[in-house]
Amino acid sequence: MRALLLLAALGAVAAATTENFVGHQVLRIVPSSDAELQKVQELQELEHLQLDFWLSPRGLGNPVDIRVPFPSLQPVKAHLEANGVPYSIMIEDVQALVDLEQMQMLRRRRFVPLSTSTFDYTSYHTLEEIYAFMDLLVAENPNLVSKLEIGRTTENRPIYVLKFSKGGTNRPAIWIDTGIHSREWVTQASGIWFAKKIVQEQDEGLANILDQMDIFLEIVTNPDGFAFTHTSNRMWRKTRSKRSGSLCVGVDPNRNWDAGFGGSGASSNPCSETYHGPYANSEPEVKAIVDFVKSHKNIKAFISIHSYSQLLLYPYGYTTTAVPDKEELHQVAKEAVAALSSLYGTNYKYGSIITTIYQASGGTIDWTYNQGIKYSFTFELRDTGRYGFLLPASQIVPTAQETWKALEVIMAHTRGHLY
Amino acid sequence: MAELPPTHGPASRAAALATAYISHRHGSPGHGWVLRDVRRARREDIDGIGHKYHLEFVLEDIFEKDSTVNCTAEVLYHLGNEKSAPDVQFTIEGELENTDEAHNAFYNRIQSLKKELEAENIPDSYGNVPPEMQPIRALAWAASGYVIWQNSTENTKYQLAQIKHVKQVKRTDEYLEFDYVILLHENVSQEIIPWQMTVLWHPQHGIEVTQNSCQPKHALD
């Protein structure tokens, strides 16, 4: 008996009356002789029994299903037994099944995956769904994955980082963050995919990396902003901090770092999308990472992921002065982009931030580079403007897959050139 | 004349402007283009006049990623007078696909609607565009090309981000008229700017933006 049919079958009755179905049973009879068939057909005449035929008598060998109200159960069964008509109880308690089905329907509407294998990587998710995913991942892979709370947002949401580690103490590490700008939805979605990829990975490349290094992955770097893109404004970029004296909300978390802070390439206007904030690290989302990086002391590669434009960038953004490691970073970027393109032919450009896009001060990887994290990179993922921030969900997995190829190059290079 | 790395900001901004201009001149409910790649860029500083970019670039059809077209353009940004739109001259390699049939189908469909067309959020938050809205989006793409061209400087890079709202305005003549509120994304300031445009279209007479104005930002917060 298909569960959904139950409510459909009851639908008319349930709608017409306010009765419930406690104690009602559904009996099935398969008449195998004319005599049996006749006895069943007789039941149809007995209106006082209030029988509800879900499958009416049609002929020999065809099942007859009857919903029998509780008060009629004893007389009906007595009638059938006295006449030697075999029956089976298909549903012991109709109301119990209705209740169960209602509950399942509610769950189905907000499908709650029970494992990361049933999680839908091909669609965009809410903050709650992503946080639930993290817990599932940790529960399924307790020896590899743990969840760290590195701080709280302005609106007091927890800020989580997943740690992938095969052991050791404070191993050299790779940091990846997505979603620092909340409207860049393909990045958080890719972060989820990366997390699953890391635990699934069978091949040598990643295994080699994890033998020596830890990976830290912050999937929702700007939780307040992300929640806001779901509830109020899909195009929200900044944090959600409020300052007295201004009607405008939020600070650009990629202008709030202590590298050329407040210089050209950021705005001092709180209403601007590139507002740098009142002082460096004013945003708890930024400060949490700063504190983490400073206390860890052993991060060797730092990759901050944005969209859109299809670019792979290295420092600096705040000054035209080239970084001392420019040649090496340029070469790594070149290889990473080649690997990325090899999958779907997606065209990326690469270079320093200031030459490739524009001057931007107070940026993440400028700070991390100046902290001594040589392999500091920023990605701008798909696309180049056809959909921009509103990238169709069908492109999440291809984007994540090709980006992962580039990340593998960066991670392998880091591992092969530890410093 | 200085050779510019095609990967660099100024070259890509000039190419984006040329793309917008080409979309404005050749776009339609069946056709729109986005910049895929800049192949070559040179900059000429003309004393007392402005900066002229010489570009070779590739455009990609917004409906079909694999359909590309090679273009060249000269973009002159006027010095000192930012109110004046840049001058753009361009060439397109080869012939553009004829979409007369699609145009007529769209035209007839809209003319036969009982109620004026009205829609919002195209694409939606998840990037979805219902198939019947594709021509409406392409029309906005072409019309926004005009708005982008008129408002661009060397330091801006605009992109149509979303159609917030579109409403058809019934007319007594043969033209179709749509009133749009679009969101433009400006890539340097990162601002999302609401912009109103009134767009006229006819299969034989092309697109005209009869009215357009920047809208206050606060509505989005």
Side-chain angles (χ1 to χ4, degrees):
Chain A
M1 183 68 187
R2 296 290 92 82
L4 273 176
L5 286 179
L6 177 62
L7 274 185
L10 291 170
V13 180
T17 69
T18 48
E19 75 178 324
N20 66 38
F21 305 100
V22 175
H24 295 209
Q25 292 188 345
V26 176
L27 308 182
R28 170 165 282 189
I29 302 145
V30 187
S32 54
S33 73
D34 284 335
E36 284 178 19
L37 183 58
Q38 195 200 344
K39 287 295 156 200
V40 174
Q41 281 164 334
E42 274 170 17
L43 285 173
Q44 286 182 288
E45 313 299 315
L46 306 172
E47 276 182 38
H48 66 281
L49 292 176
Q50 303 254 288
L51 301 180
D52 177 15
F53 280 77
W54 285 5
L55 286 174
S56 297
R58 280 178 295 140
L60 296 182
N62 291 315
V64 180
D65 289 346
I66 314 169
R67 177 179 61 83
V68 184
F70 183 71
S72 303
L73 268 178
Q74 201 276 329
V76 167
K77 285 179 180 174
H79 174 86
L80 293 171
E81 282 159 21
N83 288 284
V85 180
Y87 66 90
S88 57
I89 301 173
M90 286 224 319
I91 300 175
E92 296 244 23
D93 185 344
V94 174
Q95 187 61 40
L97 202 55
V98 168
D99 292 344
L100 177 64
E101 190 186 48
Q102 295 267 29
M103 198 182 71
Q104 285 173 341
M105 274 177 58
L106 281 170
R107 276 181 113 218
R108 214 171 284 124
R109 221 171 279 140
R110 295 170 37 246
F111 176 65
V112 180
L114 300 172
S115 82
T116 63
S117 305
T118 54
F119 188 88
D120 186 0
Y121 298 90
T122 65
S123 61
Y124 290 110
H125 290 276
T126 62
L127 186 63
E128 293 69 33
E129 288 165 356
I130 298 176
Y131 279 14
F133 165 84
M134 290 183 200
D135 289 337
L136 283 175
L137 195 74
V138 170
E140 291 164 15
N141 303 277
N143 295 327
L144 181 60
V145 195
S146 54
K147 185 177 86 171
L148 315 172
E149 184 174 324
I150 64 167
R152 295 231 147 203
T153 66
T154 294
E155 293 173 350
N156 205 32
R157 291 184 173 85
I159 304 171
Y160 292 129
V161 171
L162 292 176
K163 175 182 180 182
F164 300 85
S165 177
K166 281 192 182 164
T169 314
N170 197 237
R171 286 182 170 175
I174 293 160
W175 168 283
I176 302 167
D177 66 72
T178 52
I180 191 168
H181 286 143
S182 37
R183 62 191 181 197
E184 298 166 5
W185 276 17
V186 72
T187 70
Q188 299 95 336
S190 295
I192 296 167
W193 190 92
F194 299 153
K196 181 64 174 171
K197 181 71 172 175
I198 296 171
V199 307
Q200 269 178 334
E201 188 73 0
Q202 302 302 331
D203 88 29
E204 259 186 83
L206 187 64
N208 283 344
I209 289 165
L210 284 170
D211 280 338
Q212 286 190 253
M213 304 182 74
D214 294 342
I215 300 175
F216 292 100
L217 175 61
E218 185 176 359
I219 298 175
V220 189
T221 306
N222 180 2
D224 290 351
F226 188 60
F228 199 71
T229 59
H230 277 276
T231 58
S232 306
N233 181 354
R234 173 64 177 82
M235 296 293 182
W236 190 260
R237 164 186 169 91
K238 302 188 285 185
T239 62
R240 293 292 300 166
S241 56
K242 295 179 166 76
R243 300 237 134 61
S244 66
S246 178
L247 288 172
C248 291
V249 177
V251 166
D252 184 344
N254 200 23
R255 299 288 187 281
N256 189 243
W257 301 72
D258 196 3
F261 177 83
S264 280
S267 173
S268 55
N269 179 351
C271 299
S272 163
E273 295 281 23
T274 55
Y275 174 49
H276 49 58
Y279 50 88
N281 306 328
S282 63
E283 303 311 285
E285 296 81 358
V286 170
K287 179 139 198 325
I289 303 174
V290 168
D291 290 346
F292 181 85
V293 168
K294 280 183 158 167
S295 67
H296 188 280
K297 298 189 190 9
N298 211 16
I299 294 177
K300 298 301 177 190
F302 193 104
I303 302 146
S304 191
I305 301 184
H306 293 251
S307 77
Y308 60 94
S309 284
Q310 293 175 199
L311 304 169
L312 176 49
L313 307 166
Y314 49 82
Y316 288 120
Y318 75 96
T319 172
T320 52
T321 307
V323 290
D325 300 293
K326 187 224 153 99
E327 294 308 319
E328 187 184 357
L329 295 185
H330 195 82
Q331 186 58 33
V332 173
K334 181 176 180 182
E335 283 169 29
V337 160
L340 185 154
S341 298
S342 71
L343 207 50
Y344 297 109
T346 305
N347 190 285
Y348 263 62
K349 301 262 189 272
Y350 56 98
S352 71
I353 296 168
I354 197 169
T355 54
T356 312
I357 33 179
Y358 42 68
Q359 184 173 28
S361 62
T364 309
I365 64 167
D366 286 1
W367 180 80
T368 58
Y369 184 84
N370 285 347
Q371 289 298 297
I373 302 175
K374 179 166 41 159
Y375 302 114
S376 288
F377 292 96
T378 274
F379 279 80
E380 293 276 358
L381 303 186
R382 293 193 191 182
D383 60 14
T384 55
R386 189 207 269 103
Y387 288 98
F389 300 122
L390 307 180
L391 196 71
S394 56
Q395 292 198 44
I396 294 172
V397 171
T399 301
Q401 288 173 326
E402 67 191 11
T403 308
W404 183 252
K405 290 259 163 267
L407 290 174
E408 282 180 323
V409 168
I410 296 171
M411 293 194 291
H413 185 93
T414 306
R415 183 190 154 277
H417 298 81
L418 282 176
Y419 53 94
Chain B
M1 186 106 83
E3 193 80 27
L4 297 178
T7 55
H8 281 202
S12 88
R13 288 194 285 276
L17 170 61
T19 305
Y21 186 77
I22 293 170
S23 282
H24 154 59
R25 294 295 306 278
H26 284 289
S28 71
H31 253 340
W33 293 276
V34 66
L35 178 66
R36 170 183 275 204
D37 197 13
V38 181
R39 290 275 154 80
R40 188 177 180 202
R42 288 168 294 161
R43 196 180 94 171
E44 196 188 336
D45 292 349
I46 308 172
D47 272 345
I49 308 271
H51 298 153
K52 192 186 227 184
Y53 289 77
H54 301 257
L55 305 161
E56 291 168 32
F57 52 102
V58 183
L59 299 182
E60 171 183 298
D61 192 316
I62 59 172
F63 291 124
E64 226 183 297
K65 240 174 87 131
D66 295 327
S67 171
T68 62
V69 66
N70 297 330
C71 300
T72 68
E74 284 177 7
V75 176
L76 173 61
Y77 294 101
H78 299 281
L79 254 184
N81 185 3
E82 300 224 325
K83 290 249 168 74
S84 162
D87 292 342
V88 185
Q89 310 235 41
F90 66 92
T91 65
I92 298 177
E93 200 181 282
E95 292 234 335
L96 292 177
E97 195 194 323
N98 181 300
T99 49
D100 282 349
E101 216 179 286
H103 288 173
N104 291 329
F106 170 66
Y107 183 80
N108 292 330
R109 175 164 73 90
I110 301 295
Q111 289 290 49
S112 64
L113 289 177
K114 294 210 165 47
K115 209 170 157 289
E116 288 94 339
L117 181 144
E118 189 169 3
E120 42 183 40
N121 292 337
I122 300 165
D124 67 14
S125 288
Y126 307 92
N128 298 318
V129 180
E132 69 273 16
M133 287 299 157
Q134 298 276 26
I136 295 288
R137 180 170 175 242
L139 201 57
W141 194 276
S144 68
Y146 172 80
V147 172
I148 290 170
W149 165 49
Q150 290 289 309
N151 290 278
S152 287
T153 71
E154 234 170 323
N155 297 310
T156 62
K157 189 177 179 190
Y158 286 100
Q159 199 74 57
L160 171 65
Q162 191 181 38
I163 299 166
K164 262 330 256 183
H165 190 256
V166 57
K167 191 162 171 23
Q168 182 188 358
V169 179
K170 276 264 197 248
R171 292 177 68 91
T172 50
D173 63 18
E174 293 178 329
Y175 282 82
L176 297 185
E177 181 177 333
F178 297 95
D179 200 52
Y180 285 92
V181 174
I182 57 171
L183 297 181
L184 291 178
H185 173 224
E186 202 289 291
N187 220 287
V188 178
S189 66
Q190 292 297 331
E191 296 296 331
I192 300 288
I193 305 157
W195 210 286
Q196 179 274 335
M197 11 180 243
T198 305
V199 182
L200 289 188
W201 179 70
H202 186 279
Q204 269 87 57
H205 302 133
I207 297 179
E208 198 189 336
V209 179
T210 57
Q211 198 193 326
N212 76 91
S213 61
C214 185
Q215 300 296 297
K217 187 184 161 186
H218 71 81
L220 298 177
D221 281 346

